[in-house]
Structure formats: C-alpha cells, structure tokens
C-alpha cells in the first residue's frame, strides 16, 4: 500500500502531477490510492490528463474524507463538467472553512464558474477579491494565474485594452517549464484576443509561442485549444482546405475530454460549418447529439441552430432561435458573440419581410461594433450577409453607423457554399473586379479570357469551340480566337481540375460545358435574379462596376455590360422616383449617393440630391452637394 511507503512517495507523486506526468501518477495510484491525499492526486491526474469522467469519484472521496484542497478541486471538477449551479453551491458551502491560498483558490474558481454561468457582475467581483488576495499573498506566479483568469473575463465582456494589458502582465511571470499549463492558458487568451481584433500576424506569432510551451506537456486539452485557435484563423482568413476536418477533430477530442466548454464550442462551430456547406442533416444531428434538452441549450447552440435555419430558408424560425441566443448573450455581457447573432437575426428578419425588425437587430450590432472597435472579426459575416448590408446602406437609421464599419473592411468577398451532391464549388465575380474561388480559396488565373470562359459556359453551356469564339471574339481571326479559347480551357483544367470543363459530342466538333458536379455561383446570374424581383438593395450589393473590366476586345462582354448597366440605372431611378414621390428625402440622398459612385456626372441625380438636401440635409451636406452639381457646368 502507498500509505506504507511514507511521505516521500506522496511528495514524488505530487511533483509528477505538477510536472504534467499524469500517466505516471495514474499508474501508481489507480489501484493503490488509500488516503485523502492520494485520492486527490489520482482525481487531479484524471482531470488534467483528459479522463475527466474518472475524476469525480476520487475527488469526491477525498473531499468527503476532509481534504481541504480536494474540496476546492472537486468544485473545479463540477465547473469543468458544466454543472455550474452545483459548483457554485459547493464553493459557497466549503469556502467559510478554508484559509490561506486555498481560500483564494476557491474564490478564483467560484468567480470563473459564475462568469461561465452568466452571472458577470458577481463573477468579476469574486475574481478581483481573489486577485487582490494573491497580490497580498506575495506569490508572483500564483498571482499571474489569477491575473490571466481576470484578463479572460475582460475579454469575454469586450474590454480588450484591459484584457490585453493583464494577459501581458501574466505572461511576464509565467514560465514555459516546469509547469507550462498556466502560461498556455494566458497565451490562449491572448491568442483569442488577437484573433478577435484581426491581428492575424500577431496571432501566428503567439501560436508559435504556444507550440513551444506545448513541448513540455502532453495535456490533450492544451493541444486542443491550439487547434481551436488554428480553426478560427482558418475561418477568418478564408483558408478552408482543412477547416471542416479540424473542427471534427476538435469535436472528437472535446467529447473524449468531457470538457463542457470545449464541447459547446465544437458542437456550435461544427453545426454552423455543416449548415454553411448546406449539409443541414449533419448540422442538426450534431446539435441533437450534444445531449442536453433543447430548452437547456447554451447561447452558442441556439445561435448555430438559428444560422442553420436561416440558411435552410426558414427565416421566422431562425429569427426566433437567434433571438433566444441574443437574450442569453446580453445577460452574460458577451458582446462579440452577440454582434454575430444580431447580424444573422437581422438577415433572417429581412428574408421574412420584417424590415423594421431587421434594422433594429443590425443597428444594435453596429453600435456594439463601433463601441468595441471590432470589425475584422465579422468579415465572413459581412461577406455572407451582403443583402442585409446593402439594405442597411439605404436606411437612415443604419447608414451612418454602417459606413465607418465598411471603411475598416478592405473589401467584401463572397463565401461559396457547396451542395452535398457537388464535388467542386466555384464562385465567379465579374462585376467591377474579376476573381474565381474554388471551395472557398481564390485561384489565380493568368489569362484574362479564362474567367470570361467560365462565365460564358455557365450562362451558355453546350457550345462548340467555334460558337464560343464567334460569340466572344468575333473580330479575331478564327484560328487565333480558337487557339486562345483552347489555352483558356487548358488553364482552367490545370488550375481548377480536369472536371471543371468537359466536352461531349462529335470528335471534330465537341460541345463544351461545366462539369456535372461543379456548382457555380456567378454574380451576373444573381444580379439578373435580383433585377427580376426589383430588389434594389441586392442589386447594389452585387454591382461593383462594369462586367469584366479588363476585357476590351469581346463583343459579348460589351453586350452584357450595356444590358447590366441599363438594368441597374433603370431600377435605381425607379426607386429614386418612388422615394421622391413619397417625400422620403433622406432615402433619396442615400440612394443617390450610391448611384453617383458609378455615374458621378448624372446631372438629374445630382440635382435631385440637392433638392433632397434642401429639405432634410445639414448645411454641410447641402453645400457639398451643390458644389458637386455646379462642377458639371464648369
């Protein structure tokens, strides 16, 4: 029995636990623990090694046998398992009997539990009490650990400057070895902050520091947190090649660890990812397998469920789910997560033709973005919700808030979604700029005619090379034009895959089309659809300039340009006339500003904007618009 081996054996096991040698502790104690101290050491080794389901009974046994440290760590186990109310009751019952560092440790984990449970004010106060106590206690490393917890609290509530300062203070005192876990916790917090602020270069540098510290521990949770940070960087920078695979790996690890917070994150992100790929069945199954009754879902799961419903074209149900998520996030003071939920709730309400509600949701999101000075973290959401964005640009309540946010975003890139029966997703942008994305990743094409050919085949499948040449380049010598098209086909197959362009029919005159399993989204098609429906906001979202601006020698390109420009200007003029007739002068100004970005010399629209400014504009607006009108006469 271990008891007979004396104090030195227990001290050695304590040292092994602190050094992260958890399997050695488990091997020594799994069938030999027989005292409160050894039960505690065994429970902590299980908890920290990733076998949380085995930690409860040893820690509970040590607690019931009077081990004060086990009493604190049992409460921490309850927090780890997501049993927040039970953990708070436990901490409240044991704290009065604790003294010294254990009393402070109890306050720390009690405060963290309250924060996770949504009781922000109480959690911050308790954490600050622990922090002050550790400072007075005089142990720099223990103080740094609590400093890191406090920094995480400020990050969670959106106070980024305070959080960054505290993370940096903690890292100054936390070494890589022999105990890497506290330093890793602070590094993970700093990494999350950098990602939220869009400091991706800083995040990559911090990930390198995380990798260095991970060499000194085999703790599965710490390695999983690093993978989570990598996932977020992939999502925000559009590098989706292994994103789904990494999320699935995080979900497996979180399930094995029985870590409540990791499980919530992985479940929500994976369900959201599946819904973005239109794999709705897998997304719903992922949420259902979380195991908690839906009424007890945390905000993250309601948010993922709402986004799934919105993408599945169930806007009313989506808005209801997102509203529940928003209520919880407001109560918990979690502003960054709230912003995303409000954006998607606004998009759902707009799809359900509840425009006033859409404006209300989006206005709150924009206020929070400007308050927190957060923009880049929401780039993917701006990309996906462009119809909401451009609707808001024409709304007096949201336009003044939206424009400074958009100024901080370099450009908007669409995010293609891959149907379940497709092998390849292509998104082709041709209006104002030309780009081709394959499965979320931009593919550079050296020939100007390659993207043009993709667009043509999407709109006119089943054409021979001669017919394509005659449509696109009627002024070129047939041999030259045919050779250019052959080169474009070769580049597309090389860069995108041989299945992107296929041919069938006669050997001497094959017809070309995009592959059967290629899912293609072309902005021209979406623009025409929006025009057919009279959706001016969506047309503005899609029209960023003339069709294929770099192509100057194609008759077909010129025809499309003239068609789209005429459609665009006619629809905007119809909307301007409607706003003028109803006396909605503020919307007249907003829409005229958008129109004049593309045709700055249209005298009629310039004059109409001046007329509107005379009714509702500020003196500065009226003066500026009047000067711009007078310029065209000079």
């Amino acid at each position: 029995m271990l008891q007979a081996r004396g104090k030195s054996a227990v001290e050695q096991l304590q040292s092994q636990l602190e050094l992260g040698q958890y399997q050695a502790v488990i091997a020594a104690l799994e069938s030999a623990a027989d005292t409160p101290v050894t039960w505690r050491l065994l429970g902590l080794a299980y908890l920290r090694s990733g076998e949380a389901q085995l930690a409860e009974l040893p820690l509970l046994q040590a607690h019931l046998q009077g081990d004060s440290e086990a009493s604190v760590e049992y409460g921490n186990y309850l927090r780890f398992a997501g049993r927040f109310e039970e953990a708070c009751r436990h901490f409240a019952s044991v704290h009065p009997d604790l003294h010294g560092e254990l009393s402070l440790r109890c306050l720390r984990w009690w405060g963290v539990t309250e924060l996770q449970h949504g009781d922000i004010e109480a959690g911050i106060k308790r954490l600050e009490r622990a922090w002050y106590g550790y400072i007075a206690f005089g142990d720099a490393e223990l103080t740094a650990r609590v400093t890191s917890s406090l920094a995480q609290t400020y990050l969670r509530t959106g106070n980024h400057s305070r959080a960054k300062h505290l993370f940096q203070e903690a890292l100054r005192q936390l070494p890589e070895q022999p105990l890497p876990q506290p330093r890793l916790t602070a590094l993970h917090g700093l990494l999350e902050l950098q990602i939220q602020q869009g400091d991706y270069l800083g995040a990559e540098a911090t990930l390198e520091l995380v990798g260095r510290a991970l060499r000194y521990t085999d703790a599965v949770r710490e390695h999983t947190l690093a993978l989570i940070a990598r996932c977020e960087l992939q999502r925000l920078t559009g590098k989706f090649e292994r994103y789904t695979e990494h999320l699935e790996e995080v979900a497996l690890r979180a399930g094995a660890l029985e870590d409540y917070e990791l499980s919530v994150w992985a479940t929500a992100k994976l369900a959201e990812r599946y819904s973005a790929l239109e794999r709705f069945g897998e997304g719903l199954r992922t949420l259902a397998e979380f195991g908690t009754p839906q009424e007890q879902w945390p905000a993250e799961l309601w948010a993922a469920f709402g986004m799934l419903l919105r993408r599945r074209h169930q806007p009313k149900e989506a808005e209801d789910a997102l509203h529940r998520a928003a209520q919880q996030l407001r109560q918990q003071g979690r502003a960054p997560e709230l912003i995303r939920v409000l954006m998607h709730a606004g998009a759902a309400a707009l799809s359900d033709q509840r425009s006033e509600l859409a404006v209300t949701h989006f206005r709150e999101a924009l206020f929070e973005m400007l308050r927190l000075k957060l923009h880049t973290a929401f780039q993917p959401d701006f990309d996906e919700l462009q119809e909401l964005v451009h609707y808001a640009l024409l709304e007096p309540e949201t336009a003044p808030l939206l424009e400074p946010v958009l100024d901080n975003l370099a450009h908007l890139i669409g995010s293609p979604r891959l149907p379940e029966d497709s092998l390849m997703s292509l998104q082709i942008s041709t209006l104002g700029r030309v780009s081709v994305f394959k499965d979320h990743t931009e593919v550079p094409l050296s020939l100007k005619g390659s993207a043009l050919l993709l667009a043509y085949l999407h709109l006119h499948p089943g054409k021979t090379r001669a017919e394509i040449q005659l449509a696109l380049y009627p002024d070129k010598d047939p041999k030259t034009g045919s050779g250019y098209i052959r080169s474009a086909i070769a580049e597309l197959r090389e860069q995108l895959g041989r299945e992107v362009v296929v041919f069938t029919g006669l050997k001497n005159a094959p017809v070309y089309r995009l592959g059967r399993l290629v899912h293609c989204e072309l902005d021209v098609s979406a623009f025409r659809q929006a025009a057919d429906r009279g959706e001016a906001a969506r047309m503005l979202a899609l029209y960023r300039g003339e069709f294929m601006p770099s192509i100057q020698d194609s008759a077909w390109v010129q025809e499309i340009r003239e068609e789209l420009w005429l459609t665009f200007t006619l629809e905007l003029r119809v909307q301007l006339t409607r706003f003028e007739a109803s006396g909605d002068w503020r919307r007249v100004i907003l829409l005229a500003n958008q129109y004049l970005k593309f045709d700055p010399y249209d005298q009629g629209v310039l004059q109409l904007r001046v007329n509107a400014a005379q009714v509702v504009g500020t003196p500065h607006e009226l003066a500026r618009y009047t000067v711009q009108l007078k310029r065209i006469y000079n």
Side-chain angles (χ1 to χ4, degrees):
M1 283 296 184
L2 195 74
Q3 190 174 18
R5 294 165 59 186
K7 184 178 179 181
S8 61
V10 173
E11 289 175 344
Q12 182 181 355
L13 290 169
Q14 179 74 44
S15 296
Q16 289 176 318
L17 181 73
E18 291 175 353
L19 291 170
Q21 298 171 5
Y22 306 127
Q23 294 306 320
V25 177
I26 292 170
L29 293 179
E30 203 160 25
S31 59
D34 54 2
T35 67
V37 173
T38 54
W39 285 119
R40 177 196 0 117
L41 293 175
L42 178 61
L44 287 175
Y46 280 138
L47 183 63
R48 295 175 187 175
S49 69
E51 299 181 82
Q53 71 278 10
L54 300 176
E56 181 175 11
L57 288 179
L59 287 174
L60 179 60
Q61 188 159 343
H63 157 60
L64 294 175
Q65 290 181 13
D67 186 283
S68 297
E69 186 172 353
S71 297
V72 177
E73 296 298 347
Y74 177 67
N76 195 28
Y77 160 78
L78 294 173
R79 177 198 67 82
F80 185 88
R83 293 154 64 178
F84 300 129
E85 291 184 4
E86 194 177 343
C88 286
R89 289 196 299 270
H90 175 81
F91 286 128
S93 68
V94 302
H95 183 257
D97 298 324
L98 298 173
H99 305 282
E101 191 275 330
L102 283 179
S103 174
L104 298 175
R105 195 190 311 181
C106 181
L107 283 175
R108 175 193 178 190
W109 292 124
W110 191 357
V112 171
T113 305
E114 288 173 321
L115 288 166
Q116 290 179 275
H117 194 44
D119 193 349
I120 303 298
E121 186 175 351
I124 290 176
K125 286 181 178 178
R126 219 173 296 278
L127 262 178
E128 286 180 338
R129 280 179 59 195
W131 190 48
Y132 296 146
Y134 273 108
I135 292 172
F137 199 65
D139 188 310
E141 188 169 330
L142 288 176
T143 301
R145 296 185 190 187
V146 186
T147 301
S148 178
S149 295
L150 197 56
Q152 192 72 44
T153 300
Y154 287 118
L155 173 61
R156 193 181 183 100
T157 56
N159 189 342
H160 284 181
S161 59
R162 180 70 169 152
K164 185 175 183 179
H165 171 71
L166 291 178
F167 278 131
Q168 291 171 338
E169 286 296 317
L171 287 168
R172 271 194 276 271
Q173 300 293 335
L174 294 171
E176 282 184 0
Q177 53 179 317
L179 305 174
Q181 267 78 7
R183 180 172 177 82
L184 282 165
T185 300
L187 284 170
H188 287 309
L190 179 61
L191 190 54
E192 184 181 350
L193 185 149
Q194 290 169 323
I195 290 172
Q196 283 191 19
Q197 292 185 322
D199 181 11
Y200 302 140
L201 289 177
E204 290 287 357
T206 303
L207 262 180
E208 290 186 17
L209 296 177
V210 169
R212 279 175 42 185
L214 285 173
R215 292 179 300 181
Y216 302 106
T217 179
D218 58 359
V220 178
R221 188 175 194 275
E222 304 301 335
H223 285 268
T224 304
L225 288 172
L227 184 57
I228 284 175
R230 176 60 63 193
C231 286
E232 278 297 275
L233 278 173
Q234 289 171 334
R235 182 180 74 85
L236 291 169
T237 56
K239 297 176 181 176
F240 289 102
E241 295 90 341
R242 299 189 63 197
Y243 179 63
T244 308
E245 176 189 337
H246 285 162
L247 284 179
E248 290 169 342
E249 185 177 347
V250 171
L252 286 173
R253 291 187 186 184
L257 286 167
E258 294 194 358
D259 184 307
Y260 179 79
E261 277 202 325
L262 291 187
S263 295
V264 169
W265 188 93
T267 300
K269 290 295 184 182
L270 191 55
E272 187 183 324
R273 175 61 176 164
Y274 285 146
S275 72
L277 297 173
E278 297 186 0
R279 291 157 60 178
F280 300 121
E282 290 177 82
L284 288 169
R285 188 188 70 242
T286 299
L287 290 169
E289 288 177 351
F290 183 72
T292 302
Q294 192 173 29
E295 287 300 311
Q296 298 174 22
W297 274 1
E300 293 91 336
L301 268 58
W302 280 112
F305 185 49
M307 291 179 196
L308 184 150
L309 292 170
R310 186 189 64 75
R311 290 165 178 152
R312 204 170 67 167
H313 308 294
Q314 295 177 253
K316 176 62 172 66
E317 295 84 351
E319 203 279 329
D320 290 344
L322 291 163
H323 178 68
R324 292 191 65 151
Q327 284 183 312
Q328 291 185 34
L329 292 170
R330 281 193 200 94
Q331 291 170 359
Q332 296 167 12
R334 295 166 61 186
E337 294 94 333
L338 176 62
I339 290 170
R340 285 198 74 218
V341 167
L342 289 170
M343 290 180 70
H344 286 266
L350 188 62
S351 296
D352 200 35
Q353 299 183 337
R354 292 185 289 171
S355 55
E356 289 186 6
L357 185 59
V359 169
T360 299
H361 288 319
F362 198 35
R363 185 179 62 242
E364 184 181 353
L366 291 169
F367 264 120
E368 289 298 297
M369 271 184 230
L370 292 171
R371 179 178 71 83
L372 298 176
K373 298 179 182 178
L374 280 181
H375 311 107
T376 313
F378 307 106
Q379 175 91 45
D381 303 289
F382 275 98
D383 295 344
E384 182 179 358
L385 307 177
Q386 288 187 43
E387 186 171 347
L388 172 67
V389 170
H390 286 268
Y391 179 84
L393 276 172
L394 301 181
E395 287 296 309
E397 292 184 66
T398 49
L401 299 171
L402 181 56
E403 290 187 5
V405 172
L406 293 180
D407 285 344
N408 284 281
L409 296 171
H411 60 281
L412 298 177
I413 300 173
S415 299
R417 295 192 292 273
L418 180 64
E420 292 181 52
D421 59 351
S422 296
L423 294 177
M424 182 193 303
S425 171
L426 295 179
Q427 185 177 57
I428 311 167
S429 297
T430 62
L431 298 175
R433 60 183 175 84
V434 178
S435 62
V436 175
F437 282 76
K438 175 189 175 183
D439 300 340
H440 309 282
T441 303
E442 186 168 10
V443 179
L445 298 172
S446 60
L447 296 176
K448 293 180 181 179
S450 295
L452 174 61
L453 180 61
L454 271 180
Y456 183 82
L457 289 177
H458 175 67
L459 295 171
H460 302 286
K463 299 292 185 181
T464 66
R465 196 157 64 234
E467 289 173 321
I468 297 170
Q469 187 268 328
L470 187 61
L472 296 183
Y473 309 111
D475 297 332
K476 283 185 183 292
D477 172 78
K479 186 176 181 180
T480 303
S482 181
Y484 188 66
I485 291 167
R486 187 185 295 110
S487 297
I489 292 172
E491 181 178 44
L492 290 174
R493 284 182 165 178
E494 180 181 349
Q495 295 295 99
L496 300 173
R498 294 187 61 81
E499 67 274 21
V500 69
V501 178
V502 297
F503 57 89
T504 56
L506 299 174
K507 182 178 180 181
N508 295 329
V511 295
Y512 294 84
R513 65 181 69 247
L514 299 184
R516 183 175 61 85
L517 296 181
V518 174
H519 171 67
C520 184
E521 295 180 3
L522 176 65
D523 53 2
V524 169
S525 299
F527 179 88
R528 286 172 170 170
Q529 183 184 64
D532 290 341
R533 296 175 179 175
E535 297 173 345
R538 182 160 170 74
M539 291 170 69
L540 276 168
L542 293 162
Y543 194 88
R544 300 169 189 170
E546 67 178 11
F547 176 65
M548 288 286 174
S550 62
I551 303 290
Q552 304 301 328
D553 57 351
S554 171
W556 183 72
V557 167
Q558 189 58 40
E559 288 175 10
I560 299 294
R561 279 179 189 161
E562 292 173 359
E563 172 219 330
L564 299 181
W565 174 246
L566 182 62
T567 302
F568 182 65
T569 53
L570 281 176
E571 181 58 36
L572 294 193
R573 284 180 175 278
V574 167
Q575 297 288 338
L576 281 168
T577 301
R578 184 178 302 159
F579 292 149
E580 181 185 15
S582 64
D584 196 343
W585 297 108
R586 177 50 61 184
R587 282 194 175 86
V588 167
I589 291 174
L590 291 169
L591 187 55
N593 285 338
Q594 297 297 317
Y595 182 102
L596 291 167
K597 288 179 181 179
F598 302 102
D599 188 0
Y601 302 108
D602 189 305
Q603 181 181 342
V605 176
L606 286 165
Q607 182 63 63
L608 181 59
R609 186 173 64 170
V610 170
N611 297 344
Q614 288 172 338
V615 180
V616 298
T618 65
H620 174 72
E621 282 181 311
L622 179 59
R624 181 156 55 93
Y625 299 155
T626 301
V627 168
Q628 290 172 358
L629 174 62
K630 287 179 178 178
R631 277 185 193 147
I632 68 168
Y633 296 111
N634 297 327

